[in-house]
Amino acid sequence: MSADIISTVEFNYSGDLLATGDKGGRVVIFQREQENKSRPHSRGEYNVYSTFQSHEPEFDYLKSLEIEEKINKIRWLPQQNAAHFLLSTNDKTIKLWKISERDKRAEGYNLKDEDGRLRDPFRITALRVPKLKPMDLMVEASPRRIFANAHTYHINSISVNSDHETYLSADDLRINLWHLEITDRSFNIVDIKPVNMEELTEVITAAEFHPHQCNVFVYSSSKGTVRLCDMRSSALCDRHSKFFEEPEDPSSRSFFSEIISSISDVKFSHSGRYMMTRDYLSVKVWDLNMESRPVETHQVHEYLRSKLCSLYENDCIFDKFECCWSGSDSAIMTGSYNNFFRMFDRNTRRDVTLEASRENSKPRASLKPRKVCTGGKRKKDEISVDSLDFNKKILHTAWHPAENIIAVAATNNLYIFQDKVN
């Protein structure tokens, strides 16, 4: 079932809830179990909390286009009260959802019976005081706002601002700024659409607000560059404040250079000092104060450089891998093929390849590091490049904001791994 394929994964600000969106337009929220005296190991287990249909397939009659229901991104809002709020988007429409709990119901209405039928007014002789009675816990998801009709092209990013009042949404050529309370208008803050579309040389691939400075955001492009914009300088941020680009090494230039340098994801560190960009073969960490080159470059699957031709033929070269930071910013994670995902420790410079698969995912089993051999003799526990499965890919990962718990989406399976508890 292609509708079950997970298309986004996102922890909320506390890490107690984890949301996934899929190609069928559904959102599934998992809640972390609280610690139980009788089952000390149960802490950390995530169980289904709420499932709801966020988007339906639509048809744009003006353009004769089908609009997929697939959820492109989910972003949680910081929690302000007992309810939780999240934004979810498909290619065209963003929705704000409220997720709330009900464990009491009112009984003893004056104007209707217990089964809900209206009572005859002449039979009402006494005044009843309704009482709240406990009932089984119900989790309700209700759409609070729908932000539509603002994007001509497909939405690839949404990002909530640190002012908790506004958010941005980005498509291939434009970035819009919304107020969470206002659905009928948004402000266009970036527009890179040329007057003549034949002069189009790049598209926007991802955009994100700075975690602490509400006036700063970045967006990445298919040309491998990142622009940092400051909304204080002008209303339309077409002129960037900073421009991050690594000069290309002419010796490694090839037919595929432009395709593999396209940035598929950009993420600020929690501290706000660094940002990370993911391109096809590597993940780079940039210091916001240094635009000329990244301070770290980590090779994700360098062994695929010799395979770019066949990856181009089977369209895998256009896969968009995401990346994420650990809660302390000391490690980063991103996905690869064959259900492998990579973790890089920024302090020790050590890295590891792990595999998310049903065979090795028995509860509380340790993950064994995997190694890929690129030629010559293959050792016993290594896997050769030629036997990697390119249909199994980990594009979406998420890291708990405070603990070493990670969520990894492998096609239609969600894996949650955590540090060993003694």
Side-chain angles (χ1 to χ4, degrees), residues 124-141:
I124 302 173
T125 54
L127 189 66
R128 291 199 283 187
V129 178
K131 288 196 178 81
L132 285 176
K133 293 271 179 72
M135 60 178 238
D136 289 341
L137 179 70
M138 259 177 64
V139 181
E140 295 176 317

Side-chain angles (χ1 to χ4, degrees), residues 40-55:
H41 282 300
S42 66
R43 169 108 178 113
E45 281 182 18
Y46 283 81
N47 295 319
V48 174
Y49 177 62
S50 173
T51 304
F52 58 93
Q53 188 72 29
S54 173
H55 287 70

Side-chain angles (χ1 to χ4, degrees), residues 9-71:
V9 189
E10 189 77 11
F11 280 102
N12 75 338
Y13 282 76
S14 67
D16 288 338
L17 297 179
L18 172 68
T20 66
D22 65 21
K23 277 198 164 173
R26 284 183 305 269
V27 172
V28 181
I29 300 174
F30 299 87
Q31 185 182 44
R32 190 177 187 188
E33 292 297 313
Q34 293 309 310
E35 206 145 2
N36 190 331
K37 289 278 192 311
S38 59
R39 291 174 54 221
H41 282 300
S42 66
R43 169 108 178 113
E45 281 182 18
Y46 283 81
N47 295 319
V48 174
Y49 177 62
S50 173
T51 304
F52 58 93
Q53 188 72 29
S54 173
H55 287 70
E56 303 280 355
E58 293 172 58
F59 192 78
D60 183 337
Y61 295 99
L62 290 173
K63 296 199 179 77
S64 292
L65 277 179
E66 284 185 40
I67 301 168
E68 278 190 300
E69 64 272 41
K70 173 188 160 209
I71 310 286

